[in-house]
Amino acid sequence: MVANFLENKVKAKAIIFFLNHQERGFNVRELEKMLHSRNLNPHLNDLVKAGFLRSFSKKSSKFYILNSKSSLIADFESIISKQRIKTKQITDPLEKAILKVKGLKVAVLSGLFVGDLNATCDLLLAGPVSQRSLDNLISKVEDMVGGEVNYALFDSSEYQYRKNIFDRFMKDVFDNRHSIILEKIA
């Protein structure tokens, strides 16, 4: 069964992509752009049925994320390494957009981006970021995911203070699933 998934080029591309981007959830539109494939839904749904991916929806967008408890992960990784399948590294446009923001010291993905729809914050940012840069980033991010993103921006000292005193908000972000993109604060 595992080898059959890798015989289909579109599924193989998706499998390799998710193995390289294990912590983040992606909507279909993002995936179609990054994988240069149209009509991914049936292939992604097959991977959900097999237990390799999990899917969730927020408003009208459907998202997919690697099922970290899937036994297929080790099988796919083994086959890919044994067969020396070329794995072209695809850069996450969200990560790229975040890293371009001047002054940003911290960027943490949570909530929607890691498959936790109950989280109050999807994107935690800290640093001396201009309002214009913030607006541009949020606009890009919301365009990528096809909907509203809940975010919080702190200056560096407030971020550090809240993290040090185990602030409830910070505790909620860091005690649950999250992915740190950038952390330049000691």
Side-chain angles (χ1 to χ4, degrees):
M1 178 180 100
V2 174
N4 293 343
F5 279 115
L6 292 171
E7 288 174 4
N8 179 306
K9 286 183 182 182
V10 176
K11 280 187 185 129
K13 236 188 218 185
I15 289 166
I16 291 167
F17 176 81
F18 279 102
L19 288 173
N20 289 322
H21 297 90
Q22 295 190 15
E23 295 183 346
R24 177 157 121 60
F26 297 87
N27 71 17
V28 176
R29 195 171 71 190
E30 285 180 284
L31 290 167
E32 287 178 344
K33 284 181 185 177
M34 288 186 280
L35 300 177
H36 305 289
S37 297
R38 290 180 180 239
N39 198 20
L40 273 177
N41 269 329
H43 302 290
L44 296 171
N45 288 330
D46 287 347
L47 293 171
V48 169
K49 286 177 192 166
F52 180 69
L53 298 178
R54 288 187 307 117
S55 68
F56 58 95
S57 297
K58 183 172 182 182
K59 298 197 179 178
S60 62
S61 290
K62 190 169 186 177
F63 290 79
Y64 295 89
I65 190 168
L66 183 76
N67 178 1
S68 60
K69 296 177 182 166
S70 175
S71 61
L72 295 174
I73 294 172
D75 295 340
F76 284 135
E77 286 174 337
S78 173
I79 290 172
I80 289 167
S81 67
K82 282 180 188 172
Q83 293 182 1
R84 295 191 177 132
I85 295 173
K86 290 183 181 177
T87 58
K88 181 183 172 192
Q89 192 68 297
I90 298 172
T91 310
D92 181 356
L94 172 63
E95 189 173 325
K96 198 174 178 179
I98 288 170
L99 294 174
K100 282 185 180 180
V101 177
K102 290 182 181 168
L104 197 59
K105 302 287 184 203
V106 175
V108 180
L109 301 178
S110 65
L112 169 69
F113 296 109
V114 295
D116 183 359
L117 295 178
N118 295 322
T120 56
C121 182
D122 300 316
L123 182 60
L124 174 62
L125 306 167
V129 177
S130 72
Q131 187 63 47
R132 184 176 182 191
S133 294
L134 177 65
D135 291 344
N136 287 338
L137 174 64
I138 298 304
S139 176
K140 281 181 190 176
V141 171
E142 288 180 342
D143 187 48
M144 283 179 208
V145 300
E148 188 177 314
V149 173
N150 296 320
Y151 68 92
L153 173 67
F154 299 103
D155 64 38
S156 301
S157 59
E158 183 179 2
Y159 169 83
Q160 196 64 31
Y161 172 74
R162 284 175 166 247
K163 196 168 178 194
N164 289 339
I165 66 163
F166 302 106
D167 174 82
R168 177 72 181 185
F169 176 78
M170 293 293 194
K171 190 169 172 28
D172 285 346
V173 170
F174 288 102
D175 282 355
N176 293 304
R177 279 186 71 144
H178 65 281
S179 176
I180 298 172
I181 301 296
L182 175 69
E183 191 167 39
K184 292 183 183 177
I185 295 179

